[in-house]
Amino acid sequence: ATLLRHFVKAVLPDAIQGPRNFAAIANNPVNFSSLDRPGSAVRMRLSATVVRVSHEGDPQGADHVGIVYEKGGRLHRVRAQGAVMAIGSFVAKHIIPGLPAEYKSALDQFHYGPTLIVNVALRNWRFLDKLGFSAARWFDGFGFYCTIRQPMVIGNRPTPFDPDKPMVMLFYVPIQHPELPLAAQGATGRVQLLDTPYVDYERQIVAQMQRMFSSGGFDARRDIAGIVLNRWGHARMSPAPGFFFGKNGMPSPLKVLRQPFGRIAFGNSELSGHQSWSGAAVEGTRAITQVLEAL
């Protein structure tokens, strides 16, 4: 979040109050009215979901692309001289009409696995302090990893890191079906992830914590203040054989998608093989450069 705040402050100085220093950019409120001002060279439109990106005319000779998005229950359209698809391939392949067969095939080779990310708000973490660790890894039961993280110290903002103070514990819970063909694993896991009621996940989380931490004095009724579930249906890339270097004489999907489709370039982090900040920076920069060169 702090990295993104720095980007916003650099292109829209009024968007975050205060001077251009680390503490002010990380902690100060966002001035949302400054994000989308008429006449501004950069405009950020929040709560807008793009549903279509298409060339105006022949993709090889078009001068513009049309972008249709939904906001507040209404459809809107804007024109641009180019567009970068810095989004997951599982979305891009559905909103760009007229994609050539090689692009469609490339986008279909991106497989994703779902993951449940759980934040457990603790009133204290004395039980971890007593057990002598702050993170755990296990190989059976619900999930596979949990941790608490020391808060970042930024400026003069209070950042208590005390076993007697509240803390958030993070759990990673992959939803896996290795018994199925690769293409079916993600879809089956997403159905399971989204169909499972909150109360079922709550019971499993509490039972796992009680199992692991009761010897340190953990008591769920006393120590847990709340549980927040983040259901990520496309949380991680699962590259299949041929993804990086191609197979059967065909190019890899990465090689195909790193070439623009007319005035539409692909700049999502997955073109590095997994979702990551470094991949997003490298692929996004390359895609933007390709669009600018075509103007």
Side-chain angles (χ1 to χ4, degrees):
T2 304
L3 283 172
L4 297 178
R5 279 174 161 263
H6 276 76
F7 296 159
V8 173
K9 181 72 171 178
V11 297
L12 295 168
D14 295 337
I16 298 176
Q17 302 172 20
R20 189 174 290 180
N21 61 51
F22 190 87
I25 293 173
N27 293 337
N28 288 355
V30 175
N31 178 14
F32 289 98
S33 64
S34 70
L35 298 180
D36 192 10
R37 286 176 176 163
S40 175
V42 177
R43 299 174 68 175
M44 298 179 63
R45 188 149 297 166
L46 304 182
S47 301
T49 301
V50 173
V51 297
R52 182 182 175 94
V53 180
S54 58
H55 291 94
E56 295 185 348
D58 183 356
Q60 301 308 316
D63 293 327
H64 292 88
V65 295
I67 300 167
V68 179
Y69 65 93
E70 181 276 336
K71 181 176 173 66
R74 299 181 60 187
L75 294 178
H76 305 263
R77 186 177 186 275
V78 295
R79 299 176 77 218
Q81 290 181 290
V84 171
M85 308 302 292
I87 58 175
S89 297
F90 59 95
V91 175
K93 67 181 181 180
H94 293 296
I95 65 175
I96 309 175
L99 275 172
E102 62 268 26
Y103 284 86
K104 292 181 181 179
S105 175
L107 290 170
D108 284 340
Q109 294 180 59
F110 286 74
H111 301 287
Y112 302 83
T115 299
L116 177 68
I117 309 296
V118 182
N119 287 308
V120 180
L122 300 170
R123 294 187 174 91
N124 67 81
W125 47 283
R126 287 188 292 270
F127 61 93
L128 287 177
D129 188 54
K130 182 177 179 179
L131 291 170
F133 58 82
S134 61
R137 173 79 166 91
W138 58 96
F139 298 90
D140 62 343
F142 185 71
F144 75 99
Y145 177 78
C146 69
T147 184
I148 62 171
R149 296 173 179 173
Q150 183 170 355
M152 182 184 294
V153 178
I154 303 174
N156 296 320
R157 184 176 64 182
T159 52
F161 190 61
D162 185 321
D164 291 320
K165 301 289 185 180
M167 178 58 67
V168 173
M169 173 169 273
L170 175 72
F171 282 76
Y172 290 108
V173 186
I175 312 296
Q176 299 173 321
H177 287 277
E179 75 280 2
L180 298 176
L182 178 61
Q185 290 180 27
T188 302
R190 278 187 287 279
V191 171
Q192 177 184 337
L193 177 72
L194 299 174
D195 277 359
T196 303
Y198 174 92
V199 67
D200 289 353
Y201 280 134
E202 180 184 42
R203 290 193 187 104
Q204 293 179 78
I205 294 161
V206 170
Q208 187 68 34
M209 294 184 69
Q210 203 72 47
R211 174 187 175 191
M212 294 192 298
F213 305 133
S214 59
S215 61
F218 171 77
D219 181 275
R221 292 185 179 275
R222 181 193 63 209
D223 296 335
I224 294 179
I227 298 174
V228 175
L229 305 181
N230 298 280
R231 308 186 195 218
W232 289 16
H234 299 78
R236 63 185 188 279
M237 268 287 300
S238 300
F243 183 83
F244 291 100
F245 305 108
K247 65 178 181 179
N248 300 327
M250 301 299 292
S252 77
L254 307 182
K255 184 175 182 179
V256 173
L257 294 173
R258 285 187 176 127
Q259 299 303 313
F261 167 49
R263 288 180 175 262
I264 300 173
F266 298 86
N268 46 323
S269 66
E270 300 143 11
L271 294 180
S272 63
H274 61 100
Q275 295 103 317
S276 68
W277 149 244
S278 58
V282 170
E283 301 297 342
T285 300
R286 187 258 314 143
I288 291 171
T289 302
Q290 289 174 327
V291 169
L292 292 175
E293 290 174 346
L295 300 183

